[in-house]
Amino acid sequence: MKILVCISNVPDTTSKINFTADNKAFDKNGVQYVINPWDEYALTRAIELKEAKGGTVTVLNVGEADTEPNIRKALAIGADDAIRVNAFPKDAFFVAQQIAAVAKENNYDMILMGKESIDYNGSQVHNMVGELLGIPSVVPAFKLDMVDDTTARLEREIEGGKEVIEVKLPFVASSQQPMSEPRIPNMRGIMTARTKPLKTVEPVATEAKTEYVNYSKPEKKGGVKLIDPENAGELITLLRNEAKVL
C-alpha cells in the first residue's frame, strides 16, 4: 500500500505575527515554523497503517527550500521518503494542482492530509485534489481503518452524531482529532531522516485562482467597563450603542 501524506509548513502559534510595511505579505522575520498540527494526525495514522499492513509512506510539501527542516522532521517521525514541489503555495487551487500532478505520476492508494492549515483555515485542498483525480474524498475523518486490502472504513462527525463510510482505494481523506496521537521523533529517527530520500520537483504550470490583496490584524480589544449592578439602564445603552449586540 502506497500512502501519500501532504503536509503544510505553518507558523508556530506562539510566534508574533507581523506583515510587511504595505500589508501585502506575511513577514517571516523571527517566525518559527512547524508541521501543520492537523497534518500530523494524518502522518501518524499513515505510519500506523504502514506498520500494521506494510507499504510505504511518502510526505509531500508544496513549498520553498526553507520548508525542508520540517520535511525532515516528518521523515524522522517515520515517513519513508519525501517530495518537495519547489514553489510558494500561492493558493488552495495551486497547491491542489501540484498534489494531483504528483499523485498521478505515482499511483498512491491513499492521500491523507489535515482538515485545514492553522494559518489560513481554508479546508479546500482535500476536496479539490479528489475532484482533480476523479476519486472519492472523505472530509474530515476522525477514524481510519482498513477493512481489507482494497477497502477502508472512516468515521466522521455529522450534526447530532457520526457517519461511518466504507470506501474503495484510492481515495483522499482529511484528518482531525482523535485519528491518532502525534509522535515525537526519537534520536534514531532523527539520524535516519538525514539519509532518507527527499526529492525536489518543479511545479506544474497552473494559475492561482485567488489573490491576497492585503492583510490586517484584528482590532485591539477595548478596556473593560464596570457598571453598577443597580444601573441596568446604562448596561443596556452600552450594549446597544457601543457593543452593538442588541
Side-chain angles (χ1 to χ4, degrees), residues 2 4 58 60 83 85 97-109 111 133 199-205:
K2 295 174 63 177
L4 180 66
T58 298
L60 172 63
I83 300 170
V85 179
Q97 287 276 21
Q98 308 311 318
I99 295 171
V102 170
K104 286 176 181 177
E105 287 187 3
N106 296 279
N107 296 316
Y108 295 102
D109 298 299
I111 302 172
L133 295 174
K199 180 182 179 182
T200 301
V201 300
E202 293 305 309
V204 295

Side-chain angles (χ1 to χ4, degrees), residues 132-216:
L132 290 167
L133 295 174
I135 59 177
S137 57
V138 182
V139 297
F142 64 83
K143 189 174 183 180
L144 166 60
D145 293 298
M146 294 301 299
V147 176
D148 53 41
D149 291 341
T150 63
T151 307
R153 179 181 292 116
L154 300 98
E155 296 183 18
R156 65 176 187 164
E157 293 179 348
I158 59 173
E159 186 174 355
K162 68 178 182 180
E163 183 176 55
V164 180
I165 300 171
E166 289 192 0
V167 60
K168 293 288 186 181
L169 307 182
F171 66 89
V172 178
S174 67
S175 64
Q176 66 175 41
Q177 289 175 296
M179 182 175 280
S180 62
E181 185 65 34
R183 299 181 179 183
I184 298 173
N186 56 33
M187 185 55 66
R188 181 182 179 184
I190 293 170
M191 297 300 291
T192 58
R194 297 177 181 178
T195 58
K196 288 182 178 179
L198 198 173
K199 180 182 179 182
T200 301
V201 300
E202 293 305 309
V204 295
T206 185
E207 292 184 5
K209 298 295 185 183
T210 56
E211 177 185 359
Y212 297 103
V213 178
N214 60 62
Y215 295 84
S216 62

